[in-house]
Amino acid sequence: MTTNIEAKYSIAEHIKQGVKVLYLPGNGSHFNMSLILAESSNYSSYIFVNGNEIAARSYIKNNPKSKIKFFLTESSVADFLPTIDKVIVFFGSVTQFAMSNVKRIVSACLKAQKPLYEIPHGLFQSGQNLEDSSSLIDTNSYYDGIGENLPSLTNVKLTWSGEDGFGYPRTAIKDKYKERILPKFTLITSNTNWFLYSLADKRRFYKEVFEYAEQNHDELFIWCPHPAELMPDTFSLAAMDFKPNNFLLYGLHNDIYFHELEGTDDLIPYCEYAISTVTTCLLDYEVHGKRVNVFTCEGVSDLIDKFIEKTPFRHAEEISKNPSMIKTGMLKEFDAVKFDTLLSRPISPESFVNHNYLTSFI
């Protein structure tokens, strides 16, 4: 992509103009959410691309009037950080899963006492709305739990739902999906790396879903796993060797791919019905009025019980071609004005108290 860049004469500014907000996405999903938030906000918005440079360049090409600016490198963030007023992250704890460059930037923000805001990255996550029964705590594990709700390294926790929630960001783009001619397919979404699924639960999920697909051999099943599920030594990666012929892994370099539909969020509006674990995808299914079979087990049964409408299953014979439309009770329309209002609230000086020790761990 080539661009013509025009210059104009400028002198150094001594007074900052307007409030500047920096978004630090940790993965592609966070990046897409950052685009929605930044575009709708009245604040000056900057996004650290963090591996999403191609998507950023494509976004600028397709949205030439966008007000968003993108930092392509960590050093670019460092150069402009003194002018940044607020920083948004999508994780609120000391986690190994955050990329090292994001950790360094967050560490610098803590040292400089930049106001940090945490936005949820999931429907259920510790530090937001999730506790578990674990007595053996490992916050970086796929198998051991977290226990009580985590405190945050940020100054402010924002939420999607509830009285003070600003709404689920992807509701803002629900009407932007165009009609497509695609084959009929049943969508499978999963995140079995979550510690709430025991090894027996992981095994049973794939056994039952594969069995259902084999029983419905004339039906096309498209599987969109959480990206971490395809990491080495995961149960889901091993299970791939046993999937039926009509059970296709989605992706450009996998079994099946549709032009411009990059992943789960893009596929959900077009599926016939779905089979899913408990995942943030349930909100997107709800946004698009989709019918979903939700896998249940001991670890997530209490979470599923909170949903207003659901069709849970444990075994293949309980999976339905006509399940209930999912209704989580946690979906709220995105409100850009509410989002900016929450960002504008004063930050308490006491909320910076933890920055010294936190920077030692990030």
Side-chain angles (χ1 to χ4, degrees):
M1 174 182 171
T2 59
T3 56
N4 294 320
I5 300 174
E6 298 179 1
K8 63 179 179 180
Y9 183 73
S10 175
I11 59 174
E13 293 185 43
H14 297 288
I15 301 176
K16 290 189 297 182
Q17 301 297 321
V19 174
K20 297 181 178 180
V21 178
L22 169 64
Y23 295 79
L24 296 178
N27 56 38
S29 178
H30 299 173
F31 179 79
N32 291 332
M33 198 173 296
S34 297
L35 291 175
I36 298 169
L37 297 171
E39 200 67 79
S40 61
S41 174
N42 284 321
Y43 291 130
S44 297
S45 300
Y46 299 78
I47 300 176
F48 175 44
V49 300
N50 195 22
N52 295 283
E53 181 175 340
I54 294 176
R57 292 184 183 277
S58 176
Y59 187 84
I60 291 174
K61 180 180 179 181
N62 295 328
N63 301 274
K65 295 184 180 180
S66 172
K67 64 183 182 62
I68 304 174
K69 293 187 177 182
F70 297 90
F71 291 132
L72 299 180
T73 61
E74 183 182 349
S75 60
S76 300
V77 176
D79 283 332
F80 282 89
L81 195 57
T83 70
I84 297 297
D85 299 287
K86 302 171 184 291
V87 180
I88 290 176
V89 297
F90 296 85
F91 63 93
S93 59
V94 179
T95 173
Q96 70 172 9
F97 304 121
M99 295 176 68
S100 57
N101 51 9
V102 171
K103 289 183 179 181
R104 286 191 293 269
I105 295 169
V106 171
S107 181
C109 292
L110 287 165
K111 292 174 181 176
Q113 298 198 5
K114 295 285 183 181
L116 285 164
Y117 298 78
E118 178 191 350
I119 285 179
H121 65 258
L123 174 62
F124 294 112
Q125 68 183 78
S126 186
Q128 290 283 348
N129 55 6
L130 179 68
E131 297 181 7
D132 63 74
S133 62
S134 176
S135 297
L136 296 171
I137 295 174
D138 185 349
T139 57
N140 293 328
S141 175
Y142 293 139
Y143 305 100
D144 295 309
I146 292 175
E148 61 191 272
N149 217 339
L150 287 172
S152 180
L153 60 78
T154 63
N155 301 87
V156 178
K157 286 177 181 286
L158 300 180
T159 62
W160 296 332
S161 59
E163 184 177 348
D164 217 18
F166 62 86
Y168 186 48
R170 280 199 278 269
T171 60
I173 59 173
K174 63 183 178 182
D175 297 324
K176 295 185 178 180
Y177 290 89
K178 59 185 179 182
E179 290 189 8
R180 288 177 173 270
I181 300 176
L182 298 175
K184 291 184 177 181
F185 67 92
T186 301
L187 187 59
I188 313 292
T189 47
S190 60
N191 64 340
T192 54
N193 278 0
W194 204 11
F195 63 83
L196 293 178
Y197 299 108
S198 69
L199 283 174
D201 295 327
K202 301 174 197 285
R203 188 181 304 111
R204 184 162 56 82
F205 173 75
Y206 289 109
K207 174 185 177 296
E208 302 300 335
V209 174
F210 288 176
E211 181 179 316
Y212 179 78
E214 289 173 342
Q215 293 170 352
N216 295 272
H217 53 84
D218 58 343
E219 196 170 327
L220 174 62
F221 294 85
I222 296 180
W223 178 28
C224 265
H226 187 286
E229 287 190 283
L230 300 182
M231 293 174 63
D233 302 321
T234 59
F235 190 93
S236 44
L237 184 63
M240 283 183 59
D241 292 336
F242 303 95
K243 61 186 179 66
N245 292 333
N246 59 335
F247 200 97
L248 305 182
L249 180 65
Y250 191 78
L252 181 60
H253 303 292
N254 296 320
D255 299 328
I256 190 170
Y257 176 77
F258 303 128
H259 180 60
E260 293 184 337
L261 301 184
E262 299 304 322
T264 310
D265 302 338
D266 297 326
L267 285 173
I268 285 174
Y270 303 105
C271 72
E272 294 295 304
Y273 69 100
I275 302 170
S276 182
T277 60
V278 174
T279 165
T280 311
C281 296
L282 296 180
L283 286 178
D284 294 280
Y285 286 123
E286 185 174 357
V287 167
H288 296 286
K290 295 297 179 178
R291 300 182 180 275
V292 188
N293 297 275
V294 184
F295 176 67
T296 187
C297 60
E298 184 178 356
V300 297
S301 60
D302 284 348
L303 301 180
I304 294 175
D305 285 345
K306 300 294 183 184
F307 298 156
I308 297 172
E309 293 182 15
K310 66 274 185 178
T311 301
F313 76 94
R314 288 179 181 268
H315 304 287
E317 56 267 25
E318 297 173 308
I319 300 175
S320 171
K321 291 179 179 289
N322 190 32
S324 298
M325 286 188 183
I326 188 71
K327 189 172 182 181
T328 63
M330 301 172 69
L331 181 65
K332 187 175 182 179
E333 293 287 323
F334 175 63
D335 186 337
V337 175
K338 181 67 173 287
F339 177 65
D340 277 358
T341 299
L342 293 170
L343 288 183
S344 70
R345 290 180 178 175
I347 298 296
S348 167
E350 290 78 20
S351 64
F352 290 100
V353 70
N354 294 327
H355 76 279
N356 286 323
Y357 85 85
L358 283 169
T359 56
S360 300
F361 291 96
I362 295 179

